[in-house]
Amino acid sequence: MGFKSVVMGLLLAACLSAAALGAGPLNAVAQFPAEEMSGSVIKQEVQEGFSSLGGDPSLSFRNESLFYTDRQTGMSPNAVTKVPVRYAAIAGNWSFSLTGAATSHLTLNLYQNQDAVSGYGVITQNGAMAQVTAAGTILGDRVALFVTPVASQSLYRLSLTITPGSLNGDFIYTAPGVTQPGVAFGKLLAASPAAPVALGA
C-alpha cells in the first residue's frame, strides 16, 4: 500500500511540475505574428520562415511577396495565376462528306462557347434530305461532335481533328439494329458568324 502511494505521489508531482513550467499540447503551434513584432520583422519572418516547427503558419507564405501588390493584377507578384485556356475556333458554316456503307453530304452551322459546340444543318443521302442538330465538345485539337437527324433514332458520332479550315476524322453511325463506321472530311465554307443553311422542302 505504501509503495502505491509513493508512485501516485511521484506521478502527481510530475504533472504539477509540467503545468508549472507551462508545458502545452505536443502539437501546439506558435502564434504568428507575435504581438511585439514590427511590420518589417513580420515581413522578414514570412519570407524566411521564423521557426523549425512543422506547423509554422508562416512557412506556407514563403517567397509570396505578400507585402507588395501588382497594380495590374491586384495580387502579390509571385502569386500563381491560372493561364486562360484557349480553344480552337470552329464556329462557322461547314460542309462534310461522310463515307461509310453509303456516302452522305452534311452541311452544318456551328456555334461555339469556349469548349462547347452546338449547331444545326441538313444531311443529304441518296437525294433524301433531313434536318439535323449538332452538339459536341472541343478538347485540345480534337472535337467530338454528335449529329442527330430530327425526329429519328439515328446518330452520327464524329471524332474530328481540328486544322485551319478543315475538320477531318472518322464517325460511327448508329440506328436501331445498325452500327456502321466511316470517315469524315469537313471543309470550312464561312467563318462565324455563319450564314443559315438553306433547309429544303
Side-chain angles (χ1 to χ4, degrees):
M1 191 73 171
F3 176 74
K4 288 184 179 179
S5 299
V6 171
V7 171
M8 290 180 66
L10 289 175
L11 289 174
L12 180 60
C15 291
L16 292 175
S17 298
L21 293 174
L26 293 177
N27 61 351
V29 176
Q31 183 177 357
F32 181 83
E35 292 183 5
E36 68 275 6
M37 286 185 175
S38 65
S40 60
V41 172
I42 294 173
K43 175 185 172 183
Q44 181 178 353
E45 300 293 2
V46 167
Q47 290 175 336
E48 298 175 2
F50 76 97
S51 77
S52 60
L53 292 174
D56 181 349
S58 75
L59 295 178
S60 63
F61 298 108
R62 293 182 69 175
N63 301 319
E64 289 296 328
S65 301
L66 296 178
F67 296 87
Y68 300 96
T69 302
D70 186 286
R71 288 185 178 182
Q72 295 179 344
T73 65
M75 303 175 69
S76 59
N78 293 328
V80 177
T81 57
K82 291 185 177 180
V83 177
V85 177
R86 297 183 182 273
Y87 298 98
I90 65 170
N93 193 337
W94 291 86
S95 176
F96 292 89
S97 174
L98 307 179
T99 305
T103 299
S104 302
H105 179 74
L106 173 65
T107 305
L108 286 177
N109 288 319
L110 293 180
Y111 303 93
Q112 182 176 349
N113 184 355
Q114 296 183 1
D115 64 330
V117 180
S118 61
Y120 66 93
V122 295
I123 190 165
T124 306
Q125 184 180 40
N126 297 328
M129 182 180 292
Q131 299 180 22
V132 297
T133 59
T137 304
I138 296 173
L139 180 61
D141 65 344
R142 298 188 63 81
V143 58
L145 196 61
F146 298 87
V147 177
T148 307
V150 175
S152 78
Q153 298 181 51
S154 58
L155 172 67
Y156 293 84
R157 289 185 274 188
L158 289 79
S159 178
L160 307 169
T161 299
I162 304 168
T163 56
S166 67
L167 293 173
N168 302 319
D170 51 41
F171 72 91
I172 296 176
Y173 169 76
T174 57
V178 179
T179 300
Q180 296 174 346
V183 292
F185 299 96
K187 178 181 178 182
L188 180 63
L189 301 178
S192 181
V197 170
L199 300 179

